[in-house]
Amino acid sequence: MIEKDKVQMRKRNMKLFPIYRMLGWDYIFFYTTNFLFLTQVKGIHPADVVLIDSFYALFGIIMQVPATFIIEYLGRKRSMILANFCNCIYMLVVMFSTNLFNLITAELLSSLAFGIKETVDPALLNESIPPSRYKSKIFAKISQKGMANYYIMNAIATVLAGFFYDINPYIPITLSLIITILVTMISTRFIEPQNEKKKHKVQEFNQLKEIKDSFKFILKSERLKALILFSAISGGVISLMSTYEVSLLEDFDISAKYLCMIFAILGIISGILAKKQEAFHEKYRNKSLCTLFGMIGGTILIAGLCGIIAKQYSVLIIGIIITYMIRYSCQGMYYPLTERYLRNFSNEKIDTKIFTAKNFLKSILSAVIGIMGSFLLDRMNISYCMFIVGFLTILVTILMSQYMKTRVGLKPEEYAKEELQFDELENR
């Protein structure tokens, strides 16, 4: 790619990415009402909904291998288009599903789609930003802008979804399908950041060696191992909470429209706090992720405790909502910081492999955490489940903080030279 084309590619991709992420980071018009849709319209037991999420995680383990080959073969742009098209099919399957098997099959498509998206989206952005000492900050700024706008957009959609659900439960999922189709169209407007000839490496079998060498580096890197493990654990807990939190409030007979209003406000809070990730990073440095996740664990535990007591003192439902507000504040800063740390010291040769490794381990741990969450929910009240998960999250945070202390968030000169072998500035 000649320099003039590179400049055009960077301008187009960097301008388009926040819009794409705002609409396509995750499903819009879907969450909150999807739990109600599955339990009330499709007749799925709440524990089985958590189990469906576990199948998503299990399929995510399997799909990481084909996702990696798809990205290397098709390139960033075409892979992005394919992933969003799979999400469109997923929506149709959920909409017309007739049993649990259909829904589990749909999760196979969704896991492939997000296996590709969670790897290729940040990689495409990373490769669209010119090398400089400020690349990490630029990456975080563009990424968090898209995430913040997603939270706000999703908040508005969530409020509307609650009212639409009361009119007809199929309206929110239909709107979600329309948004997903729009995201697929937007993804066609990106410019491929890599040379077209790169895809022929699959035919020459050189890709296998490249992937093998990249994963060897990841397994040897103490920084990446710590970040990927922590990101995978936290991702699994946050995924479980997306079901648990709705289930806890539904346990107090809160209607769909009020549930959606509550989670819309929470989404706005996440969007606002996403913009504060730089200030949080400057204050806590290499303790940032552990501090955020520890706060998330504390809010889960307190929410569970409030849920237990609220059976006698209903005013404590307000306490549950306050803990949700704090957790969503932490979550808003957590995601952009995680992506930022993972892409530090990386280039186009290694970035997709780093995100693939993260997604692979996240899928494994999400499956384990989801199965455990389903097991607990099938045997005890949701409030006690939240309390147990919160306690375990705090315990894991303490252990991980000790492990990460000397491995993450250091200055470049404090890392071993091997850790910086893919750093664009180091190797210029």
Side-chain angles (χ1 to χ4, degrees):
M1 186 181 291
I2 62 175
E3 192 60 33
K4 183 179 178 181
D5 291 336
K6 282 186 178 180
V7 173
Q8 182 184 0
M9 176 271 292
R10 286 167 177 160
K11 285 183 178 179
R12 170 81 68 82
N13 291 356
M14 290 168 68
K15 183 178 180 180
L16 195 58
F17 192 86
I19 301 171
Y20 168 79
R21 174 147 284 197
M22 175 183 70
L23 296 172
W25 188 39
D26 210 337
Y27 303 125
I28 293 178
F29 281 107
F30 187 68
Y31 295 112
T32 304
T33 55
N34 76 310
F35 181 84
L36 303 176
F37 182 80
L38 293 176
T39 54
Q40 296 176 6
V41 178
K42 299 299 180 178
I44 307 297
H45 189 273
D48 288 333
V49 175
V50 177
L51 190 61
I52 290 171
D53 292 337
S54 299
F55 271 100
Y56 168 84
L58 286 169
F59 290 144
I61 301 168
I62 301 169
M63 289 296 112
Q64 283 306 315
V65 175
T68 302
F69 279 93
I70 287 170
I71 293 167
E72 294 299 321
Y73 182 69
L74 295 181
R76 276 53 172 164
K77 176 183 174 179
R78 292 193 184 104
S79 299
M80 182 185 285
I81 295 170
L82 175 63
N84 288 303
F85 178 75
C86 288
N87 275 337
C88 294
I89 303 300
Y90 167 77
M91 285 293 170
L92 288 171
V93 175
V94 172
M95 190 182 300
F96 296 107
S97 63
T98 56
N99 53 50
L100 186 62
F101 178 77
N102 294 152
L103 295 170
I104 291 173
T105 303
E107 296 304 316
L108 184 65
L109 275 174
S110 184
S111 64
L112 175 61
F114 281 100
I116 295 173
K117 280 172 65 69
E118 290 177 6
T119 296
V120 80
D121 290 2
L124 185 142
L125 175 60
N126 186 49
E127 292 162 28
S128 300
I129 302 172
S132 77
R133 61 181 296 187
Y134 301 108
K135 183 171 181 176
S136 179
K137 288 187 177 181
I138 295 171
F139 178 94
K141 184 177 180 180
I142 295 173
S143 181
Q144 65 87 16
K145 181 180 179 181
M147 288 182 185
N149 290 338
Y150 163 82
Y151 283 125
I152 294 170
M153 176 75 178
N154 190 54
I156 296 170
T158 301
V159 172
L160 294 174
F163 288 97
F164 289 146
Y165 185 89
D166 285 342
I167 297 171
N168 187 319
Y170 282 88
I171 294 178
I173 195 170
T174 301
L175 292 173
S176 187
L177 172 61
I178 293 171
I179 294 292
T180 307
I181 292 171
L182 178 60
V183 171
T184 306
M185 295 170 64
I186 292 173
S187 63
T188 65
R189 302 298 300 161
F190 283 98
I191 298 175
E192 174 61 51
Q194 292 191 334
N195 294 328
E196 286 292 313
K197 65 180 183 179
K198 183 173 173 66
K199 68 182 182 180
H200 295 304
K201 287 187 177 182
V202 173
Q203 298 169 352
E204 300 167 5
F205 296 99
N206 290 335
Q207 182 199 22
L208 289 172
K209 183 178 184 302
E210 182 181 322
I211 292 173
K212 181 180 178 182
D213 291 343
S214 298
F215 277 98
K216 277 185 178 179
F217 164 73
I218 292 170
L219 290 173
K220 289 180 181 179
S221 170
E222 293 297 324
R223 185 186 74 89
L224 285 176
K225 282 193 294 186
L227 275 173
I228 289 171
L229 177 60
F230 190 82
S231 175
I233 294 172
S234 56
V237 173
I238 290 172
S239 177
L240 179 64
M241 285 304 104
S242 66
T243 301
Y244 265 25
E245 287 173 343
V246 177
S247 182
L248 179 59
L249 291 181
E250 191 190 32
D251 199 42
F252 292 98
D253 297 321
I254 298 176
S255 68
K257 63 182 179 182
Y258 291 119
L259 274 175
C260 289
M261 289 178 66
I262 290 169
F263 282 95
I265 294 170
L266 295 175
I268 292 173
I269 291 171
S270 285
I272 294 172
L273 268 294
K275 299 177 181 179
K276 303 295 183 181
Q277 54 87 19
E278 179 64 29
F280 195 89
H281 164 75
E282 291 295 330
K283 182 175 181 180
Y284 290 99
R285 292 292 177 176
N286 62 347
K287 297 179 181 178
S288 296
L289 294 182
C290 288
T291 301
L292 286 172
F293 196 51
M295 292 172 66
I296 288 173
T299 59
I300 296 170
L301 185 146
I302 295 171
L305 186 61
C306 287
I308 295 170
I309 303 174
K311 292 295 183 181
Q312 286 77 38
Y313 305 97
S314 58
V315 70
L316 285 176
I317 294 175
I318 298 175
I320 295 173
I321 296 173
I322 292 173
T323 63
Y324 285 9
M325 293 171 67
I326 298 172
R327 191 188 79 73
Y328 273 73
S329 299
C330 296
Q331 182 176 310
M333 293 182 285
Y334 177 81
Y335 279 121
L337 281 175
T338 302
E339 284 193 353
R340 172 180 179 170
Y341 295 157
L342 281 170
R343 62 127 324 262
N344 281 348
F345 317 132
S346 69
N347 59 22
E348 66 178 35
K349 294 181 180 179
I350 192 71
D351 53 7
T352 58
K353 285 78 176 180
I354 291 173
F355 290 112
T356 296
K358 184 265 289 185
N359 294 337
F360 182 79
L361 187 57
K362 177 186 173 183
S363 295
I364 294 174
L365 293 180
S366 292
V368 173
I369 293 170
I371 291 171
M372 181 190 77
S374 178
F375 176 85
L376 291 174
L377 192 56
D378 204 31
R379 287 160 176 78
M380 61 182 70
N381 184 272
I382 180 64
S383 299
Y384 292 98
C385 296
M386 292 275 283
F387 183 86
I388 293 171
V389 172
F391 174 79
L392 293 176
T393 300
I394 294 172
L395 181 62
V396 168
T397 304
I398 294 171
L399 296 175
M400 284 301 302
S401 65
Q402 295 301 310
Y403 178 68
M404 295 174 68
K405 185 181 296 184
T406 58
R407 294 173 171 85
V408 177
L410 309 179
K411 296 178 180 179
E413 60 269 19
E414 294 177 317
Y415 286 108
K417 190 173 181 180
E418 292 75 17
E419 296 273 8
L420 306 177
Q421 62 178 289
F422 291 99
D423 182 21
E424 291 171 319
L425 295 181
E426 185 79 9
N427 295 289
R428 288 180 69 182

